[in-house]
Amino acid sequence: MFGRDNKSQFTAAKERMLRRDLKGRDIRDPRVLAVMTKVAREEFVPDSHRNQAYSDGPLPIGMDQTISQPYIVALMTQELRVNKDCEVLEIGTGSGYQTAVLSKLAKKVYTIERFAELSQSARIVLERLGIRNVEFHVGDGSAGWPRSQLPPSGCFDRIILTAAVPQIPKPLMGQLVDGGVIIAPVGYSGVQELIICEKKADQFFERAICDVRFVKLRGKYGFEG
Ligand code: SAH
């Protein structure tokens, strides 16, 4: 599909994604739309699927994992209300695409991935794109960021889970600042609810946004295996 004129082909596909899949649904935040325009999704998908980089769905990235659908990346970013004062914790680096999108809006992103191979290739892509405000960690993100390496404030302003959990892991709730927001796909079956959870005076207020389908988060406070 994409021949010699690769770049303009991607541009056309990206414009279609913005118009049809993002603005055509409920992505309204101009900062989110600007970032979705800026970050090249084709950099994050394997060569075998590059021609589908702007298709309206998830794509395989190896290790039985997927890069999320662009609309879901935009929706989660919009709902998180990230700004340049925010330190964001992401669980499930995967390809690094959501990480890159967040990095353009946040002060800093801390991202955890269970597979070293995925973390390493995400790191290489982000470095190539000149993104420097991201810290990577390989391990079980359900237990939170390693305590000895927490940011000076000791917690995060925003937390995003890009894999499904049976419930929001307790250690993550503990690493959220008062006034902070967590977003996560929550549920036991193949379909989960996308949940926004706000922390106010040590209480948590949850709201469901829509149904989503994510791969499972495997770990101590996630699914077994
Ligand atoms: N945001 C990613 C989506 C990745 S899919 C992207 O846009 O590409 C979810 C990722 O969560 C997978 O890479 C999977 O390996 C990872 N994951 C699953 N369980 C995890 C855990 N306990 N800790 C950290 N990462 C985990």
Side-chain angles (χ1 to χ4, degrees):
M1 180 183 169
F2 292 102
R4 244 179 290 143
D5 193 13
N6 244 338
K7 197 138 190 203
S8 65
Q9 297 268 25
F10 280 130
T11 306
K14 188 190 270 187
E15 271 164 14
R16 193 179 54 237
M17 169 195 85
L18 281 162
R19 183 171 24 85
R20 186 191 62 189
D21 306 331
L22 306 188
K23 293 183 195 163
R25 296 190 177 118
D26 49 359
I27 307 303
R28 299 273 176 268
D29 185 335
R31 295 170 323 129
V32 174
L33 290 166
V35 169
M36 294 298 292
T37 311
K38 211 179 286 172
V39 180
R41 192 167 186 256
E42 64 270 25
E43 299 288 334
F44 297 86
V45 303
D47 285 349
S48 53
H49 288 80
R50 273 181 89 113
N51 62 349
Q52 297 168 54
Y54 292 97
S55 62
D56 187 27
L59 294 170
I61 54 170
M63 314 300 293
D64 253 354
Q65 307 301 321
T66 52
I67 175 172
S68 306
Q69 179 188 9
Y71 167 65
I72 293 295
V73 171
L75 179 66
M76 290 174 89
T77 308
Q78 178 169 274
E79 292 287 341
L80 261 190
R81 303 191 311 267
V82 177
N83 61 56
K84 277 287 171 194
D85 293 325
C86 289
E87 302 208 273
V88 181
L89 174 62
E90 179 192 40
I91 314 300
T93 314
S95 68
Y97 178 61
Q98 173 82 72
T99 323
V101 167
L102 289 168
S103 76
K104 304 267 182 207
L105 297 168
K107 181 172 163 194
K108 190 158 181 180
V109 182
Y110 299 75
T111 185
I112 310 181
E113 169 56 50
R114 153 175 187 251
F115 291 113
E117 294 89 334
L118 293 178
S119 181
Q120 183 57 18
S121 51
R123 187 191 291 255
I124 290 168
V125 176
L126 266 67
E127 262 172 31
R128 194 168 65 224
L129 297 181
I131 295 171
R132 312 232 181 278
N133 58 338
V134 175
E135 275 197 38
F136 295 84
H137 178 73
V138 175
D140 176 9
S142 73
W145 192 257
R147 292 181 75 166
S148 59
Q149 298 160 39
L150 280 171
S153 65
C155 44
F156 299 96
D157 304 292
R158 303 284 186 268
I159 299 179
I160 176 169
L161 284 80
T162 69
V165 282
Q167 63 259 322
I168 296 179
K170 281 262 146 57
L172 297 180
M173 292 172 125
Q175 290 191 346
L176 185 68
V177 76
D178 193 41
V181 181
I182 298 184
I183 193 163
V186 180
Y188 283 91
S189 67
V191 180
Q192 307 94 30
E193 279 189 315
L194 188 60
I195 298 286
I196 271 275
C197 178
E198 287 189 51
K199 184 174 182 177
K200 280 185 192 150
D202 274 335
Q203 282 192 294
F204 291 89
F205 300 90
E206 285 190 7
R207 173 169 61 88
I209 299 171
C210 61
D211 284 354
V212 285
R213 283 171 188 275
F214 274 82
V215 297
K216 285 181 175 166
L217 186 128
R218 309 263 173 206
K220 189 166 175 202
Y221 302 91
F223 288 95
E224 275 178 29

